[in-house]
Amino acid sequence: SPGWPASLSVTRRSISRPRDPAQQSRPQTMTLSLVFSTVSLSAVPRTGVITVEDLLRSPALQLRLIAGEAGVSRRVAWAHVSELEDPTPWLSGAELIMTTGMALARGDGSQRAYLERLDDAGVACLALSEGLFVPPLTAAFLAAANERSFAVVEVPIPVPFMAIAQEVAAAVQGDTAQRLNAQLQVFGA
């Protein structure tokens, strides 16, 4: 993807056992070095700020926008998992809510009301797990997302919610190295 490392190489340095038997009981260490040929900081959000769009651009997260494209510029302050039909009493705004879809009803009115509650509470984005308990999304739900500029994204099954939460937390704290480490862990999985 544009703006991310063009190549990643991992090298292993050889470890030799000491010839002196007294030194053999000492712990052995292995050095792992990561070499990046190019890293563009244009893909890394400003310190302390991450948006839905930044998360969509992350190659490790593989998020897919379903609806609400005009809302991708919303700032995400926190990522939280909720399977509640109404999590809004416990929210403070700018959250990315991740769900397997257990609380998402099947009917037009119920799905639309769920999205409207989240948006009214200031939620930045809704992330739905691909293929778990998410019912078919209704036209009313998708229309509400587009009308309200409320981004709805799909999370692929191989990507754990924890990876998204770590990405958001690291960005909000301004820790680029932690973000890169979290992404490498997802690629490793």
Side-chain angles (χ1 to χ4, degrees), residues 137-150:
L137 299 176
T138 66
F141 176 87
L142 297 172
N146 290 325
E147 290 163 13
R148 289 174 165 256
S149 299
F150 184 84

Side-chain angles (χ1 to χ4, degrees), residues 41-57:
L41 294 180
S42 65
V44 177
R46 296 172 309 280
T47 301
V49 176
I50 191 165
T51 65
V52 174
E53 185 175 18
D54 294 325
L55 294 170
L56 285 165
R57 287 183 179 172

Side-chain angles (χ1 to χ4, degrees), residues 55-117:
L55 294 170
L56 285 165
R57 287 183 179 172
S58 171
L61 299 181
Q62 305 169 44
L63 302 177
R64 184 177 69 85
L65 184 67
I66 296 173
E69 182 176 1
V72 299
S73 63
R74 289 187 184 193
R75 183 181 71 84
V76 177
W78 194 250
H80 187 71
V81 176
S82 177
E83 300 299 344
L84 297 174
E85 187 177 322
D86 184 8
T88 60
W90 295 276
L91 303 176
S92 60
E95 294 91 354
L96 180 143
I97 296 295
M98 301 173 285
T99 181
T100 62
M102 291 171 59
L104 193 57
R106 293 190 171 275
D108 274 355
S110 298
Q111 282 189 9
R112 184 178 182 103
Y114 175 76
L115 185 134
E116 289 174 347
R117 276 193 303 276

Side-chain angles (χ1 to χ4, degrees), residues 4-188:
W4 290 94
S7 67
L8 172 66
S9 65
V10 178
T11 57
R12 180 177 179 222
R13 294 189 181 148
S14 63
I15 300 172
S16 59
R17 292 199 145 268
R19 293 182 189 230
D20 180 0
Q23 291 181 342
Q24 286 187 9
S25 63
R26 290 186 184 163
Q28 299 293 309
T29 60
M30 182 186 317
T31 302
L32 179 70
S33 65
L34 301 176
V35 179
F36 295 94
S37 60
T38 60
V39 175
S40 168
L41 294 180
S42 65
V44 177
R46 296 172 309 280
T47 301
V49 176
I50 191 165
T51 65
V52 174
E53 185 175 18
D54 294 325
L55 294 170
L56 285 165
R57 287 183 179 172
S58 171
L61 299 181
Q62 305 169 44
L63 302 177
R64 184 177 69 85
L65 184 67
I66 296 173
E69 182 176 1
V72 299
S73 63
R74 289 187 184 193
R75 183 181 71 84
V76 177
W78 194 250
H80 187 71
V81 176
S82 177
E83 300 299 344
L84 297 174
E85 187 177 322
D86 184 8
T88 60
W90 295 276
L91 303 176
S92 60
E95 294 91 354
L96 180 143
I97 296 295
M98 301 173 285
T99 181
T100 62
M102 291 171 59
L104 193 57
R106 293 190 171 275
D108 274 355
S110 298
Q111 282 189 9
R112 184 178 182 103
Y114 175 76
L115 185 134
E116 289 174 347
R117 276 193 303 276
L118 295 179
D119 188 39
D120 290 345
V123 170
C125 178
L126 176 64
L128 302 169
S129 184
E130 172 189 42
L132 285 181
F133 302 107
V134 177
L137 299 176
T138 66
F141 176 87
L142 297 172
N146 290 325
E147 290 163 13
R148 289 174 165 256
S149 299
F150 184 84
V152 178
V153 300
E154 182 177 69
V155 182
I157 289 291
V159 177
F161 285 166
M162 180 58 80
I164 299 168
Q166 287 175 332
E167 181 86 5
V168 170
V172 169
Q173 293 172 9
D175 189 345
T176 305
Q178 184 178 345
R179 288 186 68 221
L180 183 57
N181 186 41
Q183 291 177 9
L184 290 173
Q185 287 176 7
V186 172
F187 279 128

